[in-house]
Amino acid sequence: MNRKDAYQICSNCVMDTSDPNIKFNEKGVCERCNDYYNHILPMWNKGENKQEELNALVDKIKKAGKGKQFDCLLGLSGGFDSSYMLHFAVKELKLRPLVFHVNAGFNLSIAEENIKKIVDKLGVELKIDVINWNEVRDIQLAFFKSGVPHLDIPQDMAFVSILDRYAVKNNIKYILNGGNISTEVIVNPNAWGYWGTDMMHIKDILKRFGTVEMRTYPFTNVINRKIIMPYLRGVKVVKLLNSIHYVKQDAEKLLIDEYGYIPYEQKHFESLMTKFIEGYWLPKRFDYDVRRPQFSSLILTDQMTREEAVEKLKFPSIPEKEVSILFEQIAQKLEISQEELQQYFTMPLKTYKDYKNQEQIFAFGAKIMKATKLDKLIRK
Ligand SMILES: [Zn+2]
């Protein structure tokens, strides 16, 4: 039977055959669920009883920052996890992070308000990096033209590159990352995206579809990120939310009550572009619904029932009537006609394989990370 006809959804979470590599056991439970129960949960224990571990780490961070203006670094997108991370670091752990925000030109005003509210109340200084708009527009458009699903790479690349620069320039040894097992243990399937730091791939897409020279765009590469930064410069990325009992609903309530934070309809909806990509482009053009891994993570960590997730997935993340407005906004932002944007939407589906890439090297690296337990999330 053709794989496409054999639709199957995990009987425990809501991952399904929209991930072409999904594997089920005889009970219809997917490999990731089993991975979670057998390997992740026993080690993570929902962040319980990790106070000592957390204290020891926080002490180390403070020690490394002694006598310096900052003891750690935090990138604030305005999204939920990084916002909570900032609150937690400053208010509860009394850390002194250098806080920065990358403005790629796609911020929604609600995100900017959220950022301002939190930063003001905590009394931290915010550094804002604005990326050259001509270049952002051109690289983002190049990715649309290429037909691939990983349209988030330009924004992610800028973020991590600027992050590393701050660490180096200010001699900061610890990077606080809001990433966490509680709400993100099931990440997007590998088949839905691609490695964000494969410069060979990015350069090839830019060579074919770019029209502007990237003079200032912040790029980095995998050697810098995975070898130079951690091993030669000794910069560590720490995910402190894994050491506490982090529950999305409670954390959200705290942000609302304490800062007047306004929650987004969906994870990553703080950026107009990401909202368009994840709420419309990926589910409609590729049948990749990022809510599946997001909800599945919440199901596994007992923060959502499977029934609730199934019910929500019956409706699109962005209501039909909002789609045409969003479509128009994006075309306008990218300075193209709606017809042109529509062309990219209907063009044949492409993958990273249609362009130059170093996939094998990346996959090999990831295997090593997994084997050495440097990566605790479930990636398939
Ligand atoms: Zn599952």
Side-chain angles (χ1 to χ4, degrees):
M1 198 187 335
N2 185 328
R3 173 108 210 179
K4 259 200 156 157
D5 300 329
Y7 179 82
Q8 191 174 349
I9 180 166
C10 173
S11 59
N12 185 68
C13 71
V14 286
M15 293 308 292
D16 65 1
T17 37
S18 62
D19 173 8
N21 303 321
I22 195 167
K23 290 189 190 92
F24 298 98
N25 69 9
E26 65 291 346
K27 290 188 181 121
V29 176
C30 80
E31 191 185 16
R32 296 185 194 218
C33 279
N34 287 315
D35 234 15
Y36 172 75
Y37 295 119
N38 296 332
H39 304 294
I40 308 280
L41 184 57
M43 169 270 304
W44 169 53
N45 193 29
K46 294 194 171 179
E48 302 278 8
N49 302 323
K50 294 196 185 283
Q51 194 60 45
E52 258 175 57
E53 201 179 294
L54 178 65
N55 291 346
L57 184 53
V58 170
D59 283 348
K60 266 193 203 166
I61 297 174
K62 287 181 178 168
K63 225 179 197 170
K66 221 172 181 183
K68 294 186 199 163
Q69 193 182 355
F70 306 103
D71 51 22
C72 54
L73 176 63
L74 189 149
L76 185 65
S77 65
F80 180 69
D81 293 321
S82 66
S83 297
Y84 187 80
M85 189 65 242
L86 178 61
H87 155 84
F88 184 61
V90 174
K91 196 85 187 272
E92 300 192 25
L93 302 177
K94 312 289 180 210
L95 289 170
R96 297 175 290 120
L98 186 166
V99 187
F100 73 95
H101 172 75
V102 177
N103 186 345
F106 299 119
N107 277 348
L108 286 167
S109 55
I110 173 179
E112 299 204 328
E113 281 168 36
N114 280 335
I115 289 173
K116 189 169 173 357
K117 283 175 188 166
I118 296 177
V119 165
D120 283 354
K121 184 143 189 213
L122 287 173
V124 294
E125 184 198 338
L126 177 70
K127 299 192 188 287
I128 298 177
D129 285 81
V130 181
I131 311 176
N132 178 299
W133 171 246
N134 262 335
E135 296 180 21
V136 176
R137 175 189 161 271
D138 202 63
I139 187 173
Q140 191 66 65
L141 196 50
F143 270 77
F144 273 104
K145 289 177 183 172
S146 75
V148 299
H150 35 282
L151 300 167
D152 54 341
I153 283 184
Q155 278 196 79
D156 286 354
M157 167 59 80
F159 177 79
V160 296
S161 162
I162 290 173
L163 177 78
D164 289 350
R165 282 181 203 179
Y166 268 115
V168 171
K169 202 174 155 206
N170 295 278
N171 192 22
I172 295 175
K173 297 297 177 200
Y174 289 91
I175 294 175
L176 306 185
N177 185 307
N180 63 89
I181 295 174
S182 175
T183 66
E184 303 178 323
V185 67
I186 305 276
V187 299
N188 288 354
N190 283 347
W192 291 7
Y194 186 62
W195 306 102
T197 46
D198 184 345
M199 278 310 294
M200 180 192 267
H201 186 63
I202 294 172
K203 278 185 187 158
D204 192 39
I205 287 180
L206 279 174
K207 198 175 142 206
R208 296 201 207 191
F209 306 107
T211 61
V212 168
E213 199 190 332
M214 295 287 136
R215 287 175 192 275
T216 61
Y217 202 85
F219 289 108
T220 182
N221 58 59
V222 68
I223 303 292
N224 190 45
R225 295 237 76 225
K226 298 288 182 192
I227 295 171
I228 296 177
M229 287 304 287
Y231 298 110
L232 298 184
R233 294 196 183 273
V235 177
K236 293 176 184 67
V237 176
V238 290
K239 299 187 173 180
L240 302 179
L241 298 182
N242 285 338
S243 305
I244 57 169
H245 187 65
Y246 183 59
V247 176
K248 185 170 179 251
Q249 220 173 6
D250 299 349
E252 198 166 83
K253 188 173 180 311
L254 185 141
L255 288 184
I256 295 169
D257 292 349
E258 193 124 329
Y259 302 95
Y261 185 89
I262 304 163
Y264 311 100
E265 310 96 296
Q266 189 172 313
K267 192 178 176 75
H268 301 151
F269 273 21
E270 61 270 11
S271 144
L272 177 75
M273 184 54 73
T274 314
K275 181 175 179 175
F276 181 65
I277 294 168
E278 299 195 348
Y280 177 75
W281 201 267
L282 290 182
K284 296 292 179 192
R285 178 170 146 79
F286 291 90
D287 192 26
Y288 300 160
D289 193 332
V290 297
R291 292 175 303 169
R292 285 192 189 279
Q294 290 169 12
F295 291 169
S296 294
S297 298
L298 295 176
I299 293 170
L300 287 180
T301 56
D302 300 315
Q303 300 180 67
M304 188 187 257
T305 64
R306 188 175 181 281
E307 291 69 37
E308 201 183 324
V310 168
E311 194 51 37
K312 281 192 175 171
L313 287 168
K314 286 182 185 160
F315 303 94
S317 22
I318 299 173
E320 280 307 327
K321 60 176 192 300
E322 270 182 50
V323 167
S324 55
I325 302 168
L326 192 56
F327 205 87
E328 194 186 328
Q329 282 176 323
I330 293 290
Q332 220 168 46
K333 216 58 236 169
L334 294 173
E335 298 162 39
I336 56 172
S337 66
Q338 290 191 53
E339 290 72 31
E340 185 177 340
L341 186 57
Q342 186 63 36
Q343 259 174 30
Y344 305 139
F345 184 75
T346 47
M347 73 180 278
L349 304 187
K350 304 282 182 174
T351 74
Y352 69 89
K353 290 180 194 153
D354 292 294
Y355 302 98
K356 282 186 192 164
N357 68 78
Q358 297 176 303
E359 208 279 328
Q360 286 183 334
I361 298 173
F362 278 78
F364 179 68
K367 240 182 210 163
I368 291 178
M369 292 276 291
K370 184 90 191 165
T372 50
K373 298 206 165 35
L374 284 168
D375 185 3
K376 294 186 180 70
L377 298 183
I378 305 168
R379 304 183 200 273
K380 300 274 177 208

